[in-house]
Amino acid sequence: MALIGPSLMCADMGNLQDSVLKLDQAGVDFFHIDVMDGKFVPNFTLGPDLIKRLREFTEKPFDVHLMVDKPEDFLNLFIESGADMISVHAEATNHLQRTLQTIKDKGLKAGVAINPATSIHDIEYVLDIVDYITVMTVNPGFAGQKFVPLMNKKLKDLTNLINENGYKIDIQVDGNIGYETIPNVLKNGANMLVCGTSSLFKPDLSLALAVAKLRNFIEDVEVNKSIKM
């Protein structure tokens, strides 16, 4: 079953503690925390102090997505704040293998993230040390963007590359992951869904109902997928 991870940059910042508690109780699988430096992407978001504070309210894994230049310089900050998983962008560091290995050596799950225009072959030689790959299905920086259609082909190609080489790697998708896009990303190999304004954070639904509705939808999609297979 695909995992649901609410993107906290899309939550109500004035009631973030309450949102985390309600999402935890609703049964989400992990929390996705975007960190942006205003340089690698044109926005600023959550930082280590906030993550450390939120850590008190849930035991669910914290998936910290570093959208920052030279992420290797900031790993300890986010490890100490309570991260369980950290993904870094292939485009953001000159020492990708070393950075991923450092995350692994600290006992965390290591992820590599790639922007829409980045080839899967740019990460081919770190597949032996990554636990998950974050495929950006929009250009990173802001919520509410449209899904880039060719990302379904990228997911399919990435799934084939992983399977052909015998790796066990989760594929996470991030960007406009909603009811219209979920069936195709699941069909093409994604199993970790970063969910924001397209699926979870809806003004007309409570967080509990939004999670339940999304979970039921995913179950239906996966049942139909298995029947067709």
Side-chain angles (χ1 to χ4, degrees):
M1 182 63 63
L3 305 180
I4 295 174
S7 175
L8 291 186
M9 70 172 285
C10 300
D12 179 357
M13 289 297 152
N15 296 286
L16 197 52
Q17 173 185 331
D18 185 58
S19 294
V20 168
L21 287 168
K22 287 178 177 176
L23 288 163
D24 187 313
Q25 292 166 4
V28 300
D29 299 294
F30 64 97
F31 287 93
H32 185 82
I33 301 171
D34 289 309
V35 178
M36 305 183 192
D37 64 354
K39 187 176 180 183
F40 180 68
V41 290
N43 197 1
F44 294 89
T45 54
L46 313 175
D49 290 340
L50 182 61
I51 294 170
K52 186 180 293 185
R53 184 75 177 100
L54 294 176
R55 184 71 281 178
E56 300 176 27
F57 305 112
T58 178
E59 294 183 359
K60 298 289 175 65
F62 275 6
D63 169 34
V64 175
H65 179 191
L66 293 183
M67 287 180 269
V68 303
D69 271 340
K70 296 184 178 179
E72 60 271 21
D73 293 344
F74 308 104
L75 294 180
N76 284 337
L77 268 178
F78 290 97
I79 292 169
E80 291 168 4
S81 73
D84 300 284
M85 313 158 59
I86 295 179
S87 62
V88 299
H89 271 263
E91 309 90 353
T93 176
N94 292 325
H95 304 288
L96 181 59
Q97 200 278 344
R98 179 190 299 165
T99 303
L100 292 167
Q101 189 64 59
T102 298
I103 297 170
K104 295 278 286 186
D105 290 345
K106 296 288 187 176
L108 282 72
K109 288 189 176 182
V112 59
I114 50 176
N115 287 334
T118 300
S119 169
I120 62 172
H121 297 294
D122 287 3
I123 60 170
E124 188 170 0
Y125 296 105
V126 295
L127 293 182
D128 60 330
I129 61 167
V130 297
D131 297 292
Y132 65 110
I133 298 166
T134 300
V135 176
M136 296 302 301
T137 48
V138 301
N139 287 293
F142 298 95
Q145 299 183 69
K146 290 185 177 180
F147 186 97
V148 179
L150 272 176
M151 294 307 97
N152 280 312
K153 181 181 184 302
K154 177 184 273 190
L155 288 168
K156 184 177 181 180
D157 292 344
L158 179 59
T159 299
N160 289 337
L161 178 63
I162 290 169
N163 291 340
E164 287 167 3
N165 288 279
Y167 295 119
K168 291 187 177 180
I169 301 171
D170 292 315
I171 299 178
Q172 180 180 96
V173 283
D174 184 1
N176 192 215
I177 301 304
Y179 290 93
E180 292 184 3
T181 56
I182 285 172
N184 277 331
V185 299
L186 293 181
K187 181 180 74 174
N188 289 306
N191 66 337
M192 296 179 70
L193 308 179
V194 176
C195 300
T197 56
S198 300
S199 52
L200 276 188
F201 298 97
K202 297 287 191 180
D204 57 335
L205 279 180
S206 70
L207 289 173
L209 284 175
V211 172
K213 181 182 177 184
L214 181 59
R215 184 77 72 186
N216 289 336
F217 179 79
I218 292 169
E219 288 177 358
D220 288 344
V221 170
E222 295 202 327
V223 166
N224 290 332
K225 183 178 70 171
S226 64
I227 290 172
K228 289 178 182 178
M229 291 174 63

